Amino acid sequence: MDINDNIESPLNVKISFNKLLKQYETLALSTDSFLANKAKGVLDIAAQYPELRDGFSKVSSIKEREKEIAFILQDTFSPLLTHNEIKTASAPFNDVIFNASARFKNIIKAAGDGFLLQMKNMPHDDVYVGACTIILSFCHGFHINFKRPFYYEIPDANGIMRYYKILYNADFCEIKPGKNAPKITQEDFDELLDNFDNIDLWKEKFPPNSYTFKGFVISNIFDVTDDQSISNIKSSLINKDKRKPNSFIEGFQDIFSSLFGIKDLKVGFSIYNKEDDRFERIYGSGMHSYLLGKKETKQCANALCTWSYDKLLKEYKYFSVSDVDKKFELSQGKAPHIASLHEQGIKSAIFAPVANNEGLMGIIEIVSNKRQVLNSVNANKLGDVLPYIIQAAERNIEEEANLIEAIIQKECTSIHPSVHWRFVKEAKNFIKAEALGEQAVFKKIAFENIYPLYGQIDIKGSSEARNQATKQDLALQLSAAKTIFEYAVKIESLPIYDQFIFQIDEFLLGLNEHFQVDSEQQISAFFKNDIDSALKHLYVIDELKSHLDLYFETLDDKLGMLYNHRKQYDNTVTLINKDMASLLDKKQKVAQRMYPHYFERFKTDGVEHNMYIGESITKEDSFNLIYLYNLRLWQLQVMCEMENDFYQKQHKFPVALDVASMVLVFSQPLTISFRMDEKQFDVDGTYNARYEIVKKRVDKAFIKGTTERVTQKGKISIVYSQKQDEQEYLRYIKFLQAKHYVDNDEEIVELEDLQSVTGLKAIRVSVLYHKNKEDKAFYTYDDLMKEIKA
């Protein structure tokens, strides 16, 4: 086997000691007899085996001349330093080592039988280019600084990864071009300078095996585990993917194991919440906290003893616990941090504050399941890495603040993507003005000549339904309290109990005959101010304890009142809103792809939505009224689908409620502007305000000359004022009838005048439903209710 086999390189390598032997030829002429005799001995050996000077590449030759090579290299590899120095002699860019110090051999032996020595951070193509740069310097006088640090990663006997830096000595190398080596000109060199990644070009200028290398290289190797561990810690902390749990945490702990030279070392972290003086765990990072144990959070005073509290939170100094079990016994389990470590089976630990000029940010916790391996001596190693951990913590706090702000913006003061560009534009202008020292003002953001669309799917009779739920809860609680007082009067005849019973009867009568807005508040105050204390007094009577326990078990912990039917109602409204909003959001994504427009929705007793479409929003010269008409038709279809989705799920809700849908049509373009104080868009101008008035009141409007509301369950109401809108929507209805979205019972009705708004009309048409997603039949609302109840 040849050492050049399976290696593509411009160098055909031959191991040779010619340049080293030439130095011995000089020493043989020395007046120092000791040096001269030693040199003659080396030259005698070389004379017996010419291949040592001429060069060889067979691996078998290395084995055959092992003793002679060792003798020739004896001065280079001093026997006195062999157990101290980490040193090898090898072919360049090759893993073939033919001489090594005893310490290097011991390091490789400790790594285990399966360990394969490989140089790190040197890609295959880079090795080829690296050889070419050496040729440029040796043979052509073109010097390129391609020096890079090379490393070995070698595990020790305990499985802890250690890092070794390699420094090459190339004093004993000779390189000569072969017959097939192209000449290298200045133009070639200039071209190569700009084409490092073009491996084909380098192979064209330096074909494989076109140069002969004779000699060897000496590798001086240094253990740089501490430096590399610190560098790796820094890189890990900078890594943007550090929130991806397990891989980061496992790698981070391995790096600390290398730094401390301790196998199975673990790293934890707890955040310091200054406002509450609490420690909290990091969520979503995979990082454990050994200070908190199983707890999510702890008051600092409850997590530390007084001494450790002062050390970490006041002095900002780290400390160690070298023997947790011993400390646990001495403190009798009363030191909280020691007790937490003991419970988790930790035997030794180091706690270090992560603090800057602003104060404490968190605690880094390094722990081991072996006693004394972590102590006050090696705790000082943290001094080298804490600055990087502090920088990372500062950056994380800033990132988290930005993330929190982004979530608030998204969830609470959302800027819709369709108009985000305008906010970005104004923000850039604001920053520019500040940078130029001008008065920075965030200018008003407005969009002119846009068309509004409004729709709602409203819970019918929501007020009546909640009042009924409230009456039921209050009546049940009043009756339960009355029963207890009736028992109490028989045991302890006090007039006050009779008075409570009388008052309860008065409230019960009021609930049945004239429930008012303030009835709930009056009865709640009655329980809070009078009944609760009386019932607690009665708890001393053994005969009443079971009745009282049963009574109190029915009450809501937070409200102190019976909250059963109201809870079912509230849960139903929440579920309806969640489902309707979710479906609308999903459909909106499709609509945005048709043509960008502004969209916002609100959850009330149902779901409302606003849409605005027009040239000024899209920023492109592409708007056409066809996109408005398309969005109006899309809105009607989606309203029908939301109705269908609701009634298919209605039986799953705790309370049976109905919904009614309405669309408001406004044909004239208007202007909207962003109100900074309310963080939302609103219409501009007196005329445009008419649109907002209609929006807020029209769903409560009556059909002219009747007491019938314009919105009805099972129907979609389309409110408008212009004849052209009527004609447009009648066309849409005809299309939706053909698609079986709506029935053939459309009607046009006039509405009673609203405040300062007259001439409104509405088209009403019944929605067609399916019992479920698989059902292919079409039902009106009344038919559907009969089918469901059948």
Side-chain angles (χ1 to χ4, degrees):
M1 179 180 173
D2 196 287
I3 62 174
N4 295 291
D5 290 347
N6 303 317
I7 296 176
E8 189 176 33
S9 170
L11 299 172
N12 182 36
V13 176
K14 289 187 176 183
I15 297 171
S16 166
F17 302 97
N18 181 50
K19 288 195 74 173
L20 178 63
L21 293 172
K22 285 183 177 180
Q23 291 195 23
Y24 275 113
E25 287 173 354
T26 302
L27 289 174
L29 302 175
S30 172
T31 55
D32 187 324
S33 59
F34 177 79
L35 289 177
N37 290 332
K38 179 65 184 292
K40 289 174 183 177
V42 170
L43 294 171
D44 287 342
I45 292 292
Q48 295 176 43
Y49 305 101
E51 65 268 28
L52 295 176
R53 190 184 287 272
D54 298 336
F56 57 88
S57 59
K58 297 292 183 183
V59 176
S60 58
S61 298
I62 297 174
K63 291 285 186 182
E64 291 172 6
R65 297 290 169 258
E66 190 173 12
K67 291 182 179 179
E68 290 79 13
I69 291 172
F71 184 78
I72 290 173
L73 296 176
Q74 194 176 64
D75 289 337
T76 311
F77 288 77
S78 170
L80 295 176
L81 300 175
T82 190
H83 291 285
N84 181 271
E85 291 183 329
I86 310 172
K87 200 171 187 179
T88 65
S90 65
F93 305 112
N94 200 302
D95 293 326
V96 176
I97 294 172
F98 51 82
N99 200 61
S101 66
R103 186 177 174 189
F104 179 83
K105 292 176 182 177
N106 290 334
I107 289 171
I108 298 301
K109 183 179 179 181
D113 295 336
F115 177 73
L116 180 64
L117 185 69
Q118 287 184 321
M119 192 184 302
K120 297 296 178 183
N121 74 320
M122 180 56 100
H124 173 72
D125 287 349
D126 286 10
V127 173
Y128 198 101
V129 174
C132 294
T133 61
I134 292 172
I135 293 170
L136 282 169
S137 179
F138 264 79
C139 302
H140 302 288
F142 295 116
H143 301 290
I144 302 177
N145 187 357
F146 188 62
K147 290 182 180 179
R148 295 177 60 188
F150 301 126
Y151 295 92
Y152 288 135
E153 292 181 7
I154 307 173
D156 65 14
N158 296 317
I160 297 169
M161 189 62 68
R162 302 198 68 81
Y163 303 89
Y164 299 89
K165 187 175 183 179
I166 308 163
L167 296 180
Y168 282 120
N169 182 334
D171 289 345
F172 308 111
C173 302
E174 300 173 87
I175 300 176
K176 293 183 179 179
K179 292 180 181 179
N180 65 332
K183 289 185 177 180
I184 303 298
T185 64
Q186 182 68 47
E187 289 76 14
D188 294 324
F189 177 70
D190 294 343
E191 185 180 6
L192 289 169
L193 285 178
D194 294 325
N195 288 279
F196 174 82
D197 293 327
N198 189 347
I199 188 63
D200 292 332
L201 178 65
W202 287 90
K203 288 180 179 179
E204 177 191 325
K205 307 296 184 185
F206 303 94
N209 301 313
S210 56
Y211 289 79
T212 299
F213 173 94
K214 286 179 63 176
F216 66 98
V217 292
I218 294 175
S219 300
N220 293 288
I221 304 169
F222 303 90
D223 188 335
V224 291
T225 301
D226 284 1
D227 292 340
Q228 189 62 36
S229 296
I230 293 168
S231 176
N232 289 344
I233 287 170
K234 184 178 179 181
S235 299
S236 297
L237 294 171
I238 292 171
N239 185 1
K240 290 185 178 179
D241 291 333
K242 57 185 174 294
R243 283 186 179 268
K244 294 181 179 179
N246 294 334
S247 59
F248 166 72
I249 297 305
E250 290 171 4
F252 198 57
Q253 291 179 159
D254 288 344
I255 294 167
F256 266 92
S257 289
S258 294
L259 178 64
F260 280 85
I262 300 170
K263 180 135 176 98
D264 298 329
L265 181 147
K266 292 184 175 62
V267 180
F269 195 86
S270 49
I271 298 172
Y272 176 60
N273 182 332
K274 184 178 180 180
E275 291 181 2
D276 300 330
D277 196 34
R278 300 180 73 89
F279 291 128
E280 300 171 353
R281 68 172 65 251
I282 302 176
Y283 295 104
S285 68
M287 182 79 81
H288 185 67
S289 172
Y290 299 95
L291 191 60
L292 297 176
K294 296 179 181 178
K295 300 285 187 180
E296 295 293 316
T297 180
K298 276 185 187 178
Q299 286 291 143
C300 296
N302 296 332
L304 299 166
C305 66
T306 304
W307 179 87
S308 57
Y309 182 99
D310 291 344
K311 201 79 171 173
L312 293 173
L313 277 75
K314 293 182 179 180
E315 299 176 29
Y316 301 152
K317 292 183 178 179
Y318 49 81
F319 67 88
S320 65
V321 183
S322 63
D323 193 331
V324 171
D325 292 342
K326 185 177 179 181
K327 287 284 187 183
F328 183 77
E329 290 179 12
L330 290 172
S331 64
Q332 298 179 334
K334 294 180 180 179
H337 62 298
I338 302 296
S340 180
L341 294 175
H342 185 267
E343 184 181 348
Q344 297 170 77
I346 304 301
K347 303 300 181 183
S348 60
I350 298 171
F351 293 108
V354 179
N356 60 8
N357 294 333
E358 303 296 322
L360 185 69
M361 293 177 284
I363 304 293
I364 187 165
E365 313 150 2
I366 303 168
V367 302
S368 172
N369 56 9
K370 294 180 181 178
R371 60 186 291 272
Q372 296 186 335
V373 296
L374 292 169
N375 49 66
S376 64
V377 178
N378 58 16
N380 287 279
K381 283 180 173 285
L382 278 177
D384 296 323
V385 298
L386 272 177
Y388 304 118
I389 295 173
I390 290 168
Q391 288 177 18
E394 289 172 336
R395 189 177 64 253
N396 282 349
I397 289 171
E398 183 178 349
E399 288 175 357
E400 185 175 31
N402 292 337
L403 180 61
I404 289 170
E405 190 62 31
I407 291 170
I408 292 171
Q409 287 289 329
K410 181 181 178 182
E411 299 298 328
C412 307
T413 57
S414 176
I415 303 300
H416 193 263
S418 62
V419 295
H420 186 262
W421 64 273
R422 273 295 302 276
F423 288 85
V424 171
K425 180 181 178 181
E426 293 304 327
K428 286 182 177 179
N429 289 336
F430 187 94
I431 293 169
K432 181 180 177 182
E434 278 194 330
L436 295 174
E438 300 171 359
Q439 185 176 0
V441 179
F442 201 93
K443 294 180 181 178
K444 179 180 177 180
I445 292 177
F447 298 95
E448 299 177 347
N449 295 318
I450 59 170
Y451 295 89
L453 296 91
Y454 172 77
Q456 69 173 40
I457 182 163
D458 193 41
I459 296 173
K460 291 294 289 181
S462 57
S463 298
E464 293 83 354
R466 194 183 193 287
N467 285 344
Q468 183 60 32
T470 303
K471 286 165 64 175
Q472 287 176 291
D473 281 343
L474 295 176
L476 285 170
Q477 188 171 354
L478 286 165
S479 298
K482 178 182 175 181
T483 300
I484 293 172
F485 285 120
E486 286 174 342
Y487 281 121
V489 168
K490 296 175 183 177
I491 299 169
E492 187 180 23
S493 182
L494 296 179
I496 191 65
Y497 299 156
D498 290 320
Q499 195 274 328
F500 286 150
I501 292 170
F502 171 78
Q503 185 65 56
I504 288 171
D505 286 335
E506 287 286 304
F507 279 128
L508 286 170
L509 183 64
L511 287 176
N512 290 326
E513 294 184 355
H514 46 81
F515 182 78
Q516 297 177 346
V517 176
D518 62 343
S519 296
E520 182 178 2
Q521 292 178 334
Q522 289 179 5
I523 295 172
S524 295
F526 171 61
F527 274 100
K528 182 178 180 181
N529 299 330
D530 301 320
I531 299 299
D532 287 353
S533 58
L535 293 177
K536 290 174 183 177
H537 163 72
L538 291 174
Y539 202 78
V540 299
I541 303 174
D542 291 337
E543 295 95 317
L544 295 179
K545 282 185 178 179
S546 59
H547 298 288
L548 288 163
D549 286 339
L550 186 62
Y551 169 82
F552 284 115
E553 282 174 8
T554 63
L555 304 186
D556 182 82
D557 292 336
K558 293 182 179 178
L559 299 176
M561 295 289 289
L562 193 144
Y563 180 65
N564 186 13
H565 293 88
R566 282 173 290 181
K567 185 176 183 180
Q568 289 183 337
Y569 169 82
D570 290 342
N571 287 346
T572 299
V573 171
T574 300
L575 288 170
I576 291 171
N577 286 347
K578 182 179 178 182
D579 284 345
M580 295 300 99
S582 176
L583 179 60
L584 183 58
D585 289 346
K586 183 179 178 181
K587 296 292 182 181
Q588 241 296 301
K589 292 178 181 177
V590 177
Q592 288 291 343
R593 288 197 291 270
M594 295 178 189
Y595 193 82
H597 56 278
Y598 181 82
F599 170 79
E600 61 183 357
R601 60 159 174 78
F602 311 95
K603 295 177 184 177
T604 52
D605 282 348
V607 176
E608 305 173 40
H609 65 271
N610 288 319
M611 294 184 289
Y612 299 104
I613 188 169
E615 187 74 58
S616 60
I617 286 179
T618 53
K619 191 178 61 170
E620 300 172 2
D621 187 18
S622 61
F623 178 71
N624 187 291
L625 284 175
I626 191 70
Y627 295 117
L628 169 64
Y629 304 146
N630 179 73
L631 194 58
R632 285 175 169 176
L633 177 57
W634 171 89
Q635 183 186 37
L636 278 181
Q637 288 185 206
V638 170
M639 297 292 278
C640 292
E641 291 174 22
M642 289 172 70
E643 284 255 357
N644 252 287
D645 187 75
F646 169 78
Y647 282 110
Q648 287 170 13
K649 294 176 180 177
Q650 187 191 41
H651 66 283
K652 297 179 182 179
F653 300 138
V655 178
L657 296 173
D658 285 305
V659 296
S661 297
M662 186 202 75
V663 167
L664 175 61
V665 185
F666 197 80
S667 293
Q668 298 301 315
L670 46 74
T671 298
I672 61 169
S673 61
F674 189 76
R675 296 182 58 143
M676 293 295 181
D677 52 346
E678 296 180 6
K679 304 299 184 201
Q680 67 179 33
F681 279 98
D682 206 351
V683 296
D684 264 357
T686 305
Y687 175 76
N688 293 338
R690 179 172 176 266
Y691 172 71
E692 287 296 326
I693 293 171
V694 175
K695 240 173 42 173
K696 291 174 182 177
R697 299 175 181 174
V698 72
D699 65 321
K700 302 294 189 295
F702 294 104
I703 295 174
K704 184 170 283 190
T706 73
T707 57
E708 181 185 343
R709 287 271 175 85
V710 65
T711 56
Q712 272 191 354
K713 58 190 177 186
K715 292 188 175 185
I716 286 186
S717 301
I718 305 164
V719 179
Y720 61 95
S721 62
Q722 303 294 321
K723 186 66 176 178
Q724 66 198 47
D725 297 330
E726 178 183 297
Q727 294 171 348
E728 179 187 342
Y729 273 86
L730 284 173
R731 290 198 303 270
Y732 298 155
I733 288 170
K734 190 172 182 179
F735 171 75
L736 294 177
Q737 286 168 341
K739 295 288 185 180
H740 302 293
Y741 276 87
V742 295
D743 203 2
N744 296 316
D745 63 347
E746 71 273 14
E747 60 176 336
I748 297 174
V749 296
E750 291 186 37
L751 306 189
E752 292 282 1
D753 292 343
L754 301 175
Q755 181 182 347
S756 71
V757 179
T758 61
L760 291 178
K761 291 185 177 183
I763 303 171
R764 298 199 304 186
V765 62
S766 296
V767 178
L768 291 178
Y769 302 97
H770 304 282
K771 280 193 297 183
N772 51 57
K773 291 182 179 179
E774 291 74 31
D775 185 27
K776 301 300 180 185
F778 303 100
Y779 305 90
T780 64
Y781 173 80
D782 292 333
D783 293 336
L784 181 68
M785 292 300 107
K786 290 176 184 176
E787 283 290 324
I788 291 173
K789 293 173 183 177

